[in-house]
Amino acid sequence: MLKIDNISKTFNPGTINQKVALSNLSLQLEEGDFVTVIGSNGAGKSTMLNAISGSWFVDEGKIFVDDIDVTLMSEYQRARYIGRVFQDPLMGTAADMWIEENLALASRRGKSRGLRVGISRKEREIYYEKLKALNLGLEERLTTKVGLLSGGQRQALTLLMATIQKPKLLLLDEHTAALDPSTAKKVLDLTDQLVNENNLTTLMITHNMQDAIDHGNRLIMMNDGIIILDVRGEEKASLTKEYLIKKFNELSNGTLDNDALLLSK
Amino acid sequence: MITFSNLIYRLPGGVAQGLIWGIMALGIYITFRVLNVSDLTVDGSFTTGGAVTIMCILAGVNPILALLISFIVGILTGIATGLIHTKLKIPAILAGILVQFGLYSINLHIMNMSANVSANPDRFNLLISMRNVPNAILIGIIISIVHIIVLYWYFGTEQGSAIRATGNNSNMALAQGINIGNMKVIGFGIGNGIVALAGGLMGQYQGFADINMGRGAIVIGLAAIIIGEVVINFIFKKGCSFYTRLTSVIIGGIIYYAAMVIILWLRIDSNDLKLFTAIIVTIFLAIPNLKVKKGGK
């Protein structure tokens, strides 16, 4: 469903700030794969997601989503295939627009937007039902401005928006990192629910090792712009935090000891 | 002489002009409040509208059709700014200044290289004129209502919603597959179309187009928007509909111009008006920012 073929990206090439963010990275996801991504700060996790979503073009290599070559597509064109949730709850929704307006915009992801009415009555009923399934009481607040919602509610809404029109690929960039632990858990449960219901192919970055172990069917660890560990199926189910930290220090040559703390949060 | 009857005599004319500036402010509202950018093209496109309308009327074109032609030419000026901003990656403010600057020459060409052209209401058929102020007010109100209804409808469509999302959170818009560059170009286009149409109305009202008639249009438009917002925030504590917001812009235009009439009536030197306006707009633009700071956010 996703095929990353030998991509590389260097920021500020030829300057004192030159930074090789991705080097010959390859990754292939099958349909329905739910992959969690861990790694220290600067390992290239977010860079990989941004390369897929098209924030900028890669220097080398190709990216395919469902056999469609998206390497040279602009960000808004790729959005047709990709649903995204960001770390910052403010980023994924339009604060001054109503809940139903945000959902209506998301329902038309990748479609042409003409002079038809922005939200039909029938849609409202669908949104009501979908919001009801989230169990947050948002279904009674369809005409509330999103800016009035809490961070957790906004992330839940963003998740629904990313999946309301089934994407070929769902990208979650530490989407629970800015939430308090109990809200983060709710949003993660909701993530599982939506991913399972729709059988979504998903890439989820997390700083929380336990979450990375508990969710999904495959786990990859990144360091210095490459994948240093790739575990799936039974083997992944039996992973422990301790093992991952040990493995991390081994594979990254212990260069980033401080990050072990961060990772084991 | 400062007499009350003198003021009463002058006020209706102020209301008529205020309506026209209010309609222009609706165009600025699209860029300033919906797209969240400041578009300085308007000082030029307002004059373009006036020039095109008067030249059309001199050529025997129906005055309503002349306004529609101004509207379309205005859209083109906005598209120029939009393309310079989105395709050439020049900041919106600078793109607007460049187009406005260039429009000065274009406007002169439209007016056959003269600094002003007049259409005598005795000889030409005009939609509105300062000779008949009550009629001008009536037609101004009708045109305002048409604008408000059409804008309300448009910003409720899929495309209008996409433009609003682009202005509100471009990240979110991109993630929803919205071509934010195109949306900005469309917004700049519609905004300047309305500004040019208002310029055409002003040209007909005063009976002439002048190369400097658009000078300061952006500031007057911002004043109208802000005065309107102060009024609705005072009346509706809990927010209000988009209809009310658009209407408030027109009302803001009327209040602004009525205030100008009063200031002139008080015999304040009209050369100082621009300074007063600039200070008032600065204060009202600053108030929300200062409030936020106080709240510790």
Side-chain angles (χ1 to χ4, degrees):
Chain A
M1 195 45 97
L2 169 72
K3 190 175 158 203
I4 298 177
D5 190 9
N6 255 314
I7 59 168
S8 299
K9 179 71 185 178
T10 304
F11 290 111
N12 308 311
T15 72
I16 192 164
N17 292 321
Q18 174 163 323
K19 158 94 180 141
V20 178
L22 299 173
S23 53
N24 297 314
L25 178 82
S26 292
L27 177 69
Q28 192 156 356
L29 265 61
E30 303 306 325
E31 185 166 2
D33 266 356
F34 183 172
V35 181
T36 56
V37 187
I38 54 173
S40 58
N41 288 327
K45 309 182 300 288
S46 291
T47 312
M48 177 174 74
L49 250 58
N50 289 337
I52 299 168
S53 58
S55 302
W56 24 256
F57 294 132
V58 291
D59 299 334
E60 278 170 61
K62 294 226 171 256
I63 301 168
F64 300 87
V65 177
D66 198 16
D67 292 333
I68 303 157
D69 186 350
V70 300
T71 315
L72 293 174
M73 277 190 193
S74 64
E75 198 170 358
Y76 83 89
Q77 287 169 322
R78 295 185 202 192
R80 174 188 301 223
Y81 315 113
I82 300 172
R84 286 153 80 190
V85 184
F86 310 95
Q87 177 174 359
D88 181 354
L90 305 182
M91 259 172 92
T93 45
D96 289 338
M97 297 176 79
W98 294 342
I99 291 177
E100 62 174 26
E101 287 176 322
N102 274 273
L103 286 166
L105 285 162
S107 300
R108 289 163 179 74
R109 183 162 42 77
K111 294 183 180 156
S112 74
R113 294 166 201 261
L115 296 179
R116 286 177 301 266
V117 61
I119 312 172
S120 67
R121 189 167 299 174
K122 207 171 165 193
E123 279 178 60
R124 278 200 186 93
E125 287 164 20
I126 297 171
Y127 301 156
Y128 184 92
E129 293 305 323
K130 296 250 182 197
L131 285 168
K132 207 170 172 188
L134 300 188
N135 257 327
L136 294 167
L138 294 178
E139 67 274 12
E140 302 298 342
R141 302 172 67 187
L142 280 173
T143 56
T144 296
K145 278 187 185 173
V146 170
L148 297 173
L149 306 184
S150 69
Q153 288 171 326
R154 281 181 83 156
Q155 270 326 50
L157 180 63
T158 312
L159 255 179
L160 179 57
M161 286 166 61
T163 55
I164 196 160
Q165 201 221 125
K166 186 180 173 182
K168 292 184 187 298
L169 181 66
L170 177 63
L171 301 179
L172 309 170
D173 189 355
E174 294 195 47
H175 66 308
T176 59
L179 308 174
D180 65 76
S182 75
T183 313
K185 185 177 179 311
K186 273 186 205 155
V187 171
L188 270 176
D189 290 344
L190 182 65
T191 308
D192 276 341
Q193 180 190 328
L194 289 170
V195 168
N196 291 335
E197 269 173 21
N198 301 300
N199 189 32
L200 298 172
T201 312
T202 307
L203 259 179
M204 177 173 95
I205 298 179
T206 176
H207 252 128
N208 187 314
M209 286 228 179
Q210 197 58 51
D211 287 344
I213 293 167
D214 294 344
H215 298 268
N217 64 343
R218 184 173 164 195
L219 180 151
I220 60 178
M221 186 188 278
M222 291 183 71
N223 192 47
D224 274 345
I226 54 169
I227 294 170
I228 53 173
L229 185 69
D230 187 343
V231 195
R232 59 185 97 193
E234 287 295 308
E235 195 190 346
K236 173 183 180 289
S238 61
L239 283 175
T240 62
K241 265 196 322 197
E242 292 69 28
Y243 173 80
L244 279 179
I245 292 168
K246 197 175 122 238
K247 205 75 187 162
F248 178 77
N249 279 324
E250 248 174 68
L251 293 166
S252 66
N253 303 321
T255 47
L256 294 161
D257 274 337
N258 291 338
D259 281 304
L261 272 174
L262 227 156
L263 281 162
S264 60
K265 177 170 77 175
Chain B
M1 238 201 318
I2 303 180
T3 62
F4 195 65
S5 61
N6 187 299
L7 177 65
I8 296 298
Y9 174 74
R10 285 191 193 179
L11 263 183
V15 171
Q17 291 202 53
L19 273 166
I20 297 172
W21 288 115
I23 294 167
M24 182 207 67
L26 282 178
I28 295 178
Y29 186 88
I30 294 174
T31 45
F32 186 65
R33 281 295 185 229
V34 179
L35 273 182
N36 212 4
V37 290
S38 303
D39 172 24
L40 300 191
T41 319
V42 294
D43 282 23
S45 57
F46 188 77
T47 308
T48 306
V52 168
T53 295
I54 294 295
M55 294 311 283
C56 281
I57 285 172
L58 291 179
V61 176
N62 173 292
I64 295 176
L65 184 60
L67 287 179
L68 291 177
I69 295 171
S70 294
F71 178 69
I72 290 164
V73 176
I75 287 177
L76 296 179
T77 66
I79 288 176
T81 303
L83 290 177
I84 291 173
H85 170 47
T86 57
K87 299 288 179 202
L88 307 182
K89 314 286 179 204
I90 291 172
I93 289 184
L94 193 49
I97 291 175
L98 289 170
V99 172
Q100 180 241 103
F101 192 67
L103 278 176
Y104 187 90
S105 302
I106 293 176
N107 292 338
L108 275 175
H109 276 285
I110 293 172
M111 297 194 288
N112 276 332
M113 302 317 269
S114 61
N116 62 66
V117 283
S118 52
N120 187 335
D122 295 330
R123 288 177 51 215
F124 295 95
N125 173 23
L126 299 178
L127 185 62
I128 61 172
S129 167
M130 59 200 298
R131 296 267 180 92
N132 187 347
V133 170
N135 181 60
I137 292 177
L138 179 70
I139 293 194
I141 289 173
I142 292 172
I143 294 177
S144 302
I145 291 173
V146 170
H147 272 86
I148 290 169
I149 291 173
V150 172
L151 287 177
Y152 184 87
W153 163 78
Y154 180 70
F155 285 108
T157 63
E158 294 176 339
Q159 194 176 81
S161 301
I163 292 178
R164 282 160 60 210
T166 301
N168 193 222
N169 182 349
S170 56
N171 253 312
M172 175 269 193
L174 265 181
Q176 303 310 334
I178 293 169
N179 184 338
I180 59 174
N182 279 0
M183 293 304 126
K184 285 182 186 169
V185 173
I186 295 173
F188 277 108
I190 298 172
N192 281 286
I194 294 173
V195 169
L197 189 143
L201 278 173
M202 185 59 81
Q204 295 195 35
Y205 179 80
Q206 61 191 15
F208 64 89
D210 182 281
I211 191 67
N212 289 320
M213 67 188 280
R215 184 172 286 175
I218 179 76
V219 183
I220 297 174
L222 292 182
I225 292 169
I226 293 159
I227 293 169
E229 283 172 354
V230 170
V231 171
I232 51 172
N233 286 341
F234 182 74
I235 301 174
F236 307 94
K237 303 277 184 217
K238 283 192 154 182
C240 59
S241 72
F242 192 53
Y243 267 128
T244 318
R245 290 198 175 279
L246 293 175
T247 309
S248 79
V249 176
I250 301 283
I251 291 170
I254 295 172
I255 294 176
Y256 168 80
Y257 220 79
M260 288 301 125
V261 169
I262 292 170
I263 289 172
L264 287 174
W265 171 69
L266 291 171
R267 292 289 171 90
I268 290 170
D269 190 338
S270 63
N271 291 317
D272 292 333
L273 276 186
K274 288 198 160 112
L275 179 61
F276 280 123
T277 308
I279 292 170
I280 290 168
V281 171
T282 305
I283 290 171
F284 279 107
L285 281 175
I287 286 172
N289 306 340
L290 298 176
K291 266 186 188 162
V292 168
K293 222 182 238 171
K294 230 177 167 183
K297 275 186 183 176

